[in-house]
Amino acid sequence: MTLLLDSARLLLALSLVFNPASSGACLTEEFNCTQGSCVSKDSVCDFTNDCVDGSDEEDCSRYKRCDFGEGLCDLTQSSESFSEWIRTTEVPGLEHDHANNQSAHFLALFPSGGNTTKADLKSPVFTPDQTCQLSFYYYVGAKRGGLQVLIEPHPSGQSTAVWKNSSQTQMGTWLRTVIQLSSNDSFQVVIRGEISADSEASEILAIDDLSFSPHCVTAPESSVPPPPVCPLSQFYCGNGVCIDDSKVCDFTPHCAHGEDEAKCPSECDFEDGSCGWYELTLGDGFDWVRGSSVEVPPEFYGHPPPLDHSTNTTDGHFMFILKNSSSLYPRAVLRGPWFQQSASGCTMTFWHYNSGISVGAADMYLRIKGVENNTIIWTTLYDQGTRWNQVTVQLGRITRPFQIALAKISLGVFDGVSALDDVTFKNCSLPPAVDECPKHTHFHCVHTKACVEHSQLCDLVDDCGDGSDEEGCSPELQCNFEHGLCSWKQEQSGGDVFDWSRIQGPTPTLNTGPWKDHTLGTSYGHYLYIESSLPQEFMDTAVLLSRVFQPTHRRGKDPSSSRHPCVFRFHYHMFGSHVFRLAVYIRTTDAGRGHMLWVRYGDQGNLWHRKSLYLTSARPFQILIEGTVGDDFNGDIAIDDLSFLDCVPYDGELPTVNVTPPAVTTAAPTVQPHSCPDGEFACVAYGECVPHIKVCDFRQDCSDGSDETNCVKERCDFEGGDTCGWQDIDPSLVPKHAFCWSPDQGESIHDGEQYHRPVNDHTLGSPGGWYMCADSSNGGYGHIADLHTPVISTTGPLCTLVFWYHMSGFTVGSLQVLLKYGNVTHEVWSQTGNQGNKWRRGEVFIGLSNNFQVVFRAKRGISYMGDVVIDDVSFVDCSPPLPSQPCTPEQYACANGHCVAQDNLCDFINHCGDDSDENPYICKGFSGRCSFEFDLCSWRQSREDDFDWLIKAGSTPTVGTGPSTDHTLRDPSGHYLYLETSFPQAAGQYARISGPLLSRTSSECKMRFYYHMSGDGIGTLSVFRMSEGHLHLLLNLTGDQGNYWQMREIQLSYSRDFQVMFEGKVGRNPKGDICLDDITFSPGCLLAYSAGVEDSTPPPPPAGTRSFPPVSFLLS
């Protein structure tokens, strides 16, 4: 009995497995079979008996079905296809329909002799609906082919692909698909089969048993417009209107609702379809397909797939590469719609995504009907990052039908995402026809009846669209370089270094120069360019000369009275990371450049640009075009389509410059020459003499200032290129391309150079301002350039050189300031390496000095990436003091009769000029005074700090930090106090030094000292008042304070005896030495009457908790 029950339970379980819905109600999306089972509603009336009792195939009267047993039903073959679907019962390799019936019919498509085979099967016209559904069976027996289902709005509109067989489709078997169809307009369904030209003869596609759901409602005959009745050469717009085929896809809608541009829109975001873009070799396993982010196969990316560019969502659509083949050389070619023509300003902008470890290159090319070879107009190489990149390509005037194609080769190892989105054509439509044009300013085109400006006539560009604006033009005023240089010629008289080159297609160097000429817009066209690769070097020039023209106006005649002035038009192309300069000059003699009319610097984008220059000259003239090489090989510059309008050729030659001065009779001098005694200078003003020691001393001692004429100026901003007396080596002695100083502007910077040279000067803060630059594009590693003053006879005691410098770039060298006495030179300031892309202040204390020169010395780094630049150089307080009147009580009377402030006594600076203010007998009474030339004087190291201050001569051991000299002597033998912050010192450690004990009775006491804090990551210098173990902060300086000695003065007073203490703390970087020198106290600072001073520095707290000593430490 138990065995029987178990058997019953088993039979019941099996019945539930094989009839899972035999018990219980069916779901809403299911069909209830008569015998009680449930099947998907998608399976109803699909020519397959899914219910055991066949009830799902009984009531199919509302479905529109076709099994091709008696023909095509109400389906039609497309007349636009050259191939057709064949109704058959068997073909080689396929001898039955999907139900394995060998006598049943189906539709098949075969390859057709070396050409791409394409056939469309169209449904009836359906009314707008969102729930229409199609099911059918299909068979793919072609490795290089595939099936698509499209929705085509009726009567016209852009087709939208809604289904495509997967690249992973199982070959050689019948498969079923169900497709949801949705349209807001009346529509037809198109089933498209396509087999590539290189398919085998045995490869086939097949379809069978189509079924449209009841929601697919056929539109009534009355609502379907009759087929158009137009001649073969015309396009039907609808409503009985026909237009010429030449007006279809010309970027201008001629039909009332734009039907003529519907299949070739000028803007496409791929949201509503492919806009006429299609894969050329569909089904070869490497295809462009339309889809969204979720459809990008996950094995093709190492990062999340790209969001659609249009909507920035995963729902938006774009074109992308789908790979499903191990073939070594599969090629995906995406072709756009055919366009009839384009206007001269036509550009195409698109967004491209090319990312992956092995994503490969992509080429975009231009196909022109009737032209054998295609023209590359854009290319991208390898991984461009996980982002969409915008690209603009220039199409220009194209007079024949053309097509854009984007090709991709996988090389068998494609791994990445390559995608296209948001394609836009701009300024591509020809100007509209009008009845009348302004007579004096415009030309009325003969056939198109458009208006173009007078300045566009005879410029080698068909602006009208019918060529009438280029008819009747003088060939001697135009040149497109298709047949040579025309009337232009290369400079042959030594005014340049090399020649312009004539070329077709792209220039030899990648990522610079144009892909095509401007005239034809193809690789067949010619243009001129300068080759910036070797043997050319930086600043080499190539000059092209025009023919000579007559004066544009005659003497006594108003040049503005001419209705149409002489104008020169040309197109130029400046693309590349190291493009330098293109300039146009006008000259009236046969030598030299003449007057500059126009100049451009740097990368202007991968586009041809048009420029018009209006010319005026009272003499016969000639135009010069000069191209200048940049500092690397990516600097090709091109020109094309040069033309003159309303300019008259001149039969003669330009006059030669007379280099021999004419003989003249010397007029009697108006100023009598005079002589001066030895040791004196003869002023230009008659009868005046001044001692030579007063020449070039920053004071005008001659009444006419002639004693300072040939000297360095007190202040120099280099504006206008004026070097203010600063001198470089004689240019005639400098070899070409030598590393040297020269005045320059930010305006001359080309793309990329802004990272190692300032765009704005320091004076004006603008690209138009001038500065002095040692350009590292010239010379070699370690080369030196000196910029020096004439001999300066004497300076005052407070003379200071102040300047601003800019040192930016990966390989910038060094800048030094030197003082030169005869043949003896020593460094007083230096800076090395990259200081950031900003202006920094430099200062050198010179003091009283005689018969010397100041030298700025730049040393070139290892490459061109790092220019050394200076600006706003000033000699402050450098004129020597004048003899004084009787000194006041607040002044000190020097031995030589000069008067100086009492505050300047014994401060280690020779204010008097005879050192009498630094007399050791006087200075002995100044307590705490120390220059550190011999020892620490009365200053003492702390025993409770981490390390000690050191005495040093010359520069500090760490390169790139610290001063070049001390402040006292200002030469390498002078000493100063410094804090070494490199190893073994660590960040946060500190060193302290304390001065003498000062009395509480001190009155008007102040301390003066000099400090130097320069370097990246420098620490902190603090000054404390210390009394009875308590610290009071007086000054705190943190970080880089500038690469020069600076003076600080601090007022001192307290109710108890006290000391001053300096604390230096190590920063985060070893390049941060802190230096002290020339500490002095005023006479009001009195020593306390203590027998000795104990080191009472408070001990530091535990490491990591201290910034300043706590306890009774007070901040003011």
Side-chain angles (χ1 to χ4, degrees):
M1 186 66 179
T2 304
L3 179 61
L4 292 173
L5 288 174
D6 290 343
S7 299
R9 292 190 185 102
L10 177 61
L11 289 172
L12 177 60
L14 289 173
S15 68
L16 290 174
V17 169
F18 290 105
N19 297 285
S22 61
S23 62
C26 296
L27 301 176
T28 55
E29 64 269 18
E30 292 180 324
F31 175 79
N32 195 344
C33 301
T34 303
Q35 50 85 16
S37 62
C38 301
V39 298
S40 171
K41 285 185 179 179
D42 292 343
S43 302
V44 177
C45 296
D46 66 347
F47 296 98
T48 299
N49 186 4
D50 297 287
C51 290
V52 178
D53 56 12
S55 56
D56 58 319
E57 300 296 317
E58 291 177 353
D59 183 15
C60 296
S61 59
R62 297 172 57 214
Y63 288 79
K64 296 163 190 65
R65 307 198 305 166
C66 190
D67 61 3
F68 306 111
E70 298 180 1
L72 299 183
C73 310
D74 53 359
L75 302 169
T76 58
Q77 303 263 21
S78 172
S79 60
E80 298 178 3
S81 302
F82 292 105
S83 302
E84 288 189 345
W85 290 96
I86 305 299
R87 179 173 168 270
T88 182
T89 58
E90 64 174 312
V91 293
L94 180 59
E95 299 177 353
H96 55 83
D97 72 347
H98 83 90
N100 205 27
N101 188 340
Q102 296 185 355
S103 61
H105 288 80
F106 54 86
L107 296 189
L109 186 65
F110 313 92
S112 56
N115 297 317
T116 298
T117 303
K118 179 179 174 183
D120 285 354
L121 185 69
K122 291 192 172 184
S123 74
V125 178
F126 294 122
T127 59
D129 193 87
Q130 307 297 319
T131 56
C132 175
Q133 182 175 285
L134 164 67
S135 69
F136 66 96
Y137 289 83
Y138 63 96
Y139 180 97
V140 178
K143 295 181 180 178
R144 289 170 286 276
L147 292 165
Q148 288 188 84
V149 175
L150 305 96
I151 292 180
E152 188 175 273
H154 192 83
S156 62
Q158 184 65 47
S159 298
T160 302
V162 294
W163 176 86
K164 177 184 176 182
N165 69 283
S166 169
S167 58
Q168 301 176 356
T169 297
Q170 183 178 353
M171 300 285 289
T173 185
W174 284 98
L175 301 170
R176 178 176 176 270
T177 186
V178 179
I179 304 167
Q180 298 293 329
L181 306 173
S182 173
S183 177
N184 295 322
D185 304 304
S186 297
F187 66 97
Q188 285 180 286
V189 178
V190 180
I191 300 177
R192 176 173 296 166
E194 189 167 353
I195 303 176
S196 65
D198 57 351
S199 297
E200 301 290 338
S202 60
E203 298 186 31
I204 61 167
L205 299 173
I207 56 176
D208 196 10
D209 292 346
L210 274 67
S211 177
F212 290 95
S213 69
H215 291 284
C216 304
V217 179
T218 304
E221 292 292 332
S222 59
S223 66
V224 179
V229 183
C230 293
L232 291 177
S233 61
Q234 291 194 334
F235 173 84
Y236 181 66
C237 290
N239 299 324
V241 178
C242 300
I243 61 171
D244 290 338
D245 279 343
S246 62
K247 295 182 177 181
V248 177
C249 294
D250 65 350
F251 300 102
T252 302
H254 300 280
C255 295
H257 301 290
E259 293 89 343
D260 53 323
E261 303 297 313
K263 293 185 177 181
C264 46
S266 58
E267 296 184 7
C268 182
D269 58 11
F270 301 107
E271 294 307 313
D272 299 318
S274 61
C275 307
W277 292 80
Y278 64 94
E279 165 62 45
L280 178 63
T281 57
L282 187 66
D284 65 354
F286 192 65
D287 299 321
W288 286 98
V289 297
R290 174 180 169 270
S292 60
S293 296
V294 295
E295 298 174 74
V296 178
E299 64 268 22
F300 291 160
Y301 51 79
H303 302 281
L307 299 176
D308 162 67
H309 181 265
S310 313
T311 63
N312 198 35
T313 68
T314 58
D315 298 326
H317 292 77
F318 49 87
M319 303 296 294
F320 68 93
I321 293 285
L322 184 65
K323 179 179 182 292
N324 182 33
S325 171
S326 58
S327 173
L328 187 57
Y329 299 107
R331 188 164 182 256
V333 179
L334 181 67
R335 286 186 176 177
W338 283 96
F339 295 99
Q340 292 291 341
Q341 60 179 335
S342 63
S344 58
C346 182
T347 61
M348 173 187 173
T349 299
F350 59 94
W351 290 82
H352 186 255
Y353 191 100
N354 207 59
S355 177
I357 59 174
S358 184
V359 73
D363 291 331
M364 180 171 285
Y365 54 87
L366 172 69
R367 301 181 70 228
I368 299 180
K369 191 164 288 187
V371 177
E372 182 178 355
N373 292 327
N374 300 324
T375 297
I376 298 288
I377 56 176
W378 173 78
T379 188
T380 185
L381 299 175
Y382 316 119
D383 187 359
Q384 302 298 312
T386 55
R387 63 182 180 276
W388 288 98
N389 297 286
Q390 187 180 39
V391 180
T392 298
V393 295
Q394 193 170 35
L395 300 177
R397 178 74 175 110
I398 303 176
T399 58
R400 299 183 185 183
F402 69 93
Q403 183 183 44
I404 304 297
L406 181 59
K408 187 86 176 174
I409 298 176
S410 84
L411 300 180
V413 288
F414 180 80
D415 187 359
V417 177
S418 191
L420 174 75
D421 202 3
D422 291 334
V423 180
T424 304
F425 293 87
K426 295 181 180 179
N427 304 316
C428 295
S429 59
L430 292 172
V434 295
D435 295 331
E436 191 175 353
C437 298
K439 292 183 179 179
H440 300 308
T441 59
H442 287 72
F443 171 77
H444 203 182
C445 302
V446 176
H447 302 292
T448 60
K449 299 302 179 182
C451 290
V452 299
E453 294 182 6
H454 180 270
S455 61
Q456 294 177 288
L457 297 179
C458 300
D459 63 353
L460 296 166
V461 178
D462 175 18
D463 298 292
C464 281
D466 59 10
S468 59
D469 56 318
E470 299 301 309
E471 295 176 352
C473 303
S474 173
E476 62 182 346
L477 300 181
Q478 297 178 311
C479 194
N480 58 17
F481 304 112
E482 296 306 319
H483 305 288
L485 299 185
C486 314
S487 61
W488 292 81
K489 58 185 179 181
Q490 308 275 7
E491 168 65 81
Q492 300 295 334
S493 60
D496 61 1
V497 179
F498 66 109
D499 286 343
W500 289 85
S501 301
R502 181 170 167 265
I503 193 176
Q504 290 174 290
T507 62
T509 308
L510 192 64
N511 293 326
T512 186
W515 287 101
K516 55 192 176 66
D517 80 325
H518 181 265
T519 315
L520 304 180
T522 70
S523 56
Y524 289 97
H526 294 77
Y527 59 91
L528 294 190
Y529 86 106
I530 62 166
E531 175 56 62
S532 59
S533 304
L534 292 174
Q536 274 68 259
E537 295 182 318
F538 180 58
M539 296 292 283
D540 281 353
T541 57
V543 174
L544 194 69
L545 307 174
S546 77
R547 63 171 305 136
V548 180
F549 292 93
Q550 292 185 17
T552 58
H553 61 277
R554 306 202 176 179
R555 296 185 183 279
K557 184 177 179 181
D558 183 3
S560 63
S561 63
S562 174
R563 177 172 295 169
H564 298 303
C566 170
V567 60
F568 171 51
R569 291 83 52 90
F570 63 98
H571 290 82
Y572 65 94
H573 191 284
M574 300 173 70
F575 170 62
S577 57
H578 292 85
V579 165
F580 189 44
R581 181 177 65 213
L582 178 67
V584 178
Y585 299 82
I586 184 172
R587 72 179 186 184
T588 56
T589 59
D590 68 351
R593 293 287 193 270
H595 172 66
M596 180 185 287
L597 295 174
W598 175 87
V599 66
R600 278 289 180 275
Y601 290 93
D603 187 349
Q604 303 296 315
N606 193 5
L607 301 169
W608 284 100
H609 301 272
R610 174 190 168 100
K611 183 63 183 178
S612 298
L613 299 174
Y614 291 90
L615 309 177
T616 57
S617 176
R619 299 176 182 175
F621 66 91
Q622 185 178 42
I623 295 298
L624 285 73
I625 303 178
E626 176 194 66
T628 306
V629 174
D631 56 9
D632 208 342
F633 54 83
N634 284 331
D636 296 347
I637 299 174
I639 55 175
D640 200 5
D641 291 343
L642 281 55
S643 63
F644 292 89
L645 182 65
D646 297 319
C647 306
V648 183
Y650 180 69
D651 293 332
E653 298 292 332
L654 294 180
T656 301
V657 178
N658 187 358
V659 296
T660 304
V664 295
T665 302
T666 304
T670 57
V671 177
Q672 296 293 326
H674 65 282
S675 59
C676 294
D678 290 342
E680 293 193 350
F681 170 81
C683 304
V684 173
Y686 181 69
E688 290 187 19
C689 301
V690 299
H692 274 302
I693 194 65
K694 294 188 176 183
V695 177
C696 294
D697 66 347
F698 301 103
R699 174 179 287 116
Q700 295 183 358
D701 297 288
C702 294
S703 61
D704 55 10
S706 55
D707 57 320
E708 300 297 315
T709 300
N710 296 319
C711 310
V712 69
K713 291 183 181 178
E714 197 167 3
R715 287 175 174 79
C716 189
D717 55 19
F718 303 106
E719 294 307 318
D722 181 8
T723 59
C724 312
W726 286 92
Q727 300 170 354
D728 197 2
I729 300 175
D730 185 347
S732 63
L733 303 177
V734 178
K736 189 173 178 59
H737 305 305
F739 181 58
C740 60
W741 290 95
S742 63
D744 214 331
Q745 298 170 282
E747 287 181 347
S748 68
I749 286 179
H750 55 79
D751 185 47
E753 198 177 14
Q754 68 270 24
Y755 302 113
H756 48 87
R757 193 173 137 205
V759 174
N760 300 321
D761 78 326
H762 182 263
T763 314
L764 305 178
S766 75
W770 290 75
Y771 44 68
M772 208 69 176
C773 176
D775 188 351
S776 58
S777 299
N778 296 310
Y781 175 54
H783 287 189
I784 286 173
D786 283 353
L787 184 70
H788 60 86
T789 66
V791 174
I792 299 171
S793 62
T794 186
T795 54
L798 297 178
C799 180
T800 303
L801 173 70
V802 178
F803 59 96
W804 291 84
Y805 65 97
H806 190 286
M807 297 172 66
S808 176
F810 295 115
T811 61
V812 69
S814 64
L815 175 65
Q816 296 172 288
V817 178
L818 311 174
L819 296 184
K820 183 178 180 182
Y821 297 86
N823 293 324
V824 178
T825 301
H826 69 266
E827 176 190 298
V828 292
W829 182 94
S830 71
Q831 189 61 273
T832 301
N834 186 2
Q835 302 302 310
N837 194 2
K838 63 181 178 181
W839 287 100
R840 293 178 177 269
R841 189 177 189 271
E843 183 177 304
V844 175
F845 180 68
I846 296 174
L848 192 146
S849 195
N850 299 309
N851 298 320
F852 70 100
Q853 292 172 280
V854 177
V855 181
F856 281 104
R857 173 168 293 175
K859 180 182 288 187
R860 187 186 185 274
I862 198 169
S863 82
Y864 66 88
M865 291 188 292
D867 299 341
V868 179
V869 184
I870 59 173
D871 199 5
D872 291 334
V873 181
S874 302
F875 289 90
V876 180
D877 297 328
C878 286
S879 57
L882 293 170
S884 304
Q885 301 296 327
C887 300
T888 65
E890 291 79 24
Q891 292 179 317
Y892 170 77
C894 304
N896 58 11
H898 290 303
C899 300
V900 299
Q902 292 280 355
D903 280 350
N904 291 334
L905 284 176
C906 301
D907 63 354
F908 299 105
I909 297 175
N910 182 8
H911 294 276
C912 286
D914 60 2
D915 271 330
S916 57
D917 57 320
E918 298 298 311
N919 188 304
Y921 295 101
I922 298 175
C923 297
K924 192 173 183 180
F926 285 74
S927 55
R929 179 176 182 265
C930 194
S931 65
F932 305 105
E933 293 303 323
F934 306 104
D935 54 23
L936 294 178
C937 311
S938 58
W939 291 80
R940 297 290 180 267
Q941 303 275 8
S942 171
R943 295 194 299 269
E944 303 295 334
D945 53 8
D946 298 313
F947 61 104
D948 286 343
W949 289 85
L950 302 175
I951 294 178
K952 185 75 177 68
S955 58
T956 61
T958 307
V959 177
T961 183
S964 297
T965 68
D966 77 327
H967 181 265
T968 316
L969 304 181
R970 301 178 297 284
D971 67 39
S973 65
H975 293 75
Y976 55 90
L977 204 62
Y978 92 105
L979 191 77
E980 174 57 63
T981 60
S982 56
F983 184 81
Q985 273 66 260
Q989 292 187 328
Y990 60 96
R992 288 172 167 178
I993 190 169
S994 303
L997 185 65
L998 300 178
S999 172
R1000 67 172 70 88
T1001 61
S1002 298
S1003 175
E1004 297 183 3
C1005 172
K1006 55 188 175 183
M1007 177 184 69
R1008 185 180 294 176
F1009 66 96
Y1010 289 84
Y1011 66 94
H1012 190 288
M1013 295 175 65
S1014 173
D1016 182 30
I1018 203 164
T1020 301
L1021 175 66
S1022 302
V1023 182
F1024 296 102
R1025 184 188 66 219
M1026 182 174 65
S1027 178
E1028 297 180 352
H1030 304 307
L1031 295 179
H1032 179 82
L1033 181 65
L1034 300 174
L1035 177 68
N1036 181 265
L1037 298 171
T1038 301
D1040 191 336
Q1041 303 294 312
N1043 186 12
Y1044 52 94
W1045 286 104
Q1046 300 181 64
M1047 189 268 286
R1048 280 294 180 119
E1049 192 172 85
I1050 300 177
Q1051 300 289 334
L1052 300 173
S1053 65
Y1054 195 50
S1055 59
R1056 299 177 182 275
D1057 295 346
F1058 63 92
Q1059 291 173 274
V1060 173
M1061 183 180 73
F1062 286 95
E1063 179 190 82
K1065 184 182 294 184
V1066 177
R1068 58 181 171 80
N1069 194 304
K1071 288 189 174 182
D1073 295 343
I1074 301 173
C1075 306
L1076 295 172
D1077 202 5
D1078 294 345
I1079 304 175
T1080 59
F1081 291 91
S1082 66
C1085 300
L1086 305 177
L1087 291 177
Y1089 297 104
S1090 297
V1093 178
E1094 295 290 332
D1095 181 0
S1096 56
T1097 305
T1105 63
R1106 172 193 174 279
S1107 59
F1108 297 105
V1111 194
S1112 58
F1113 172 65
L1114 301 175
L1115 285 175
S1116 60

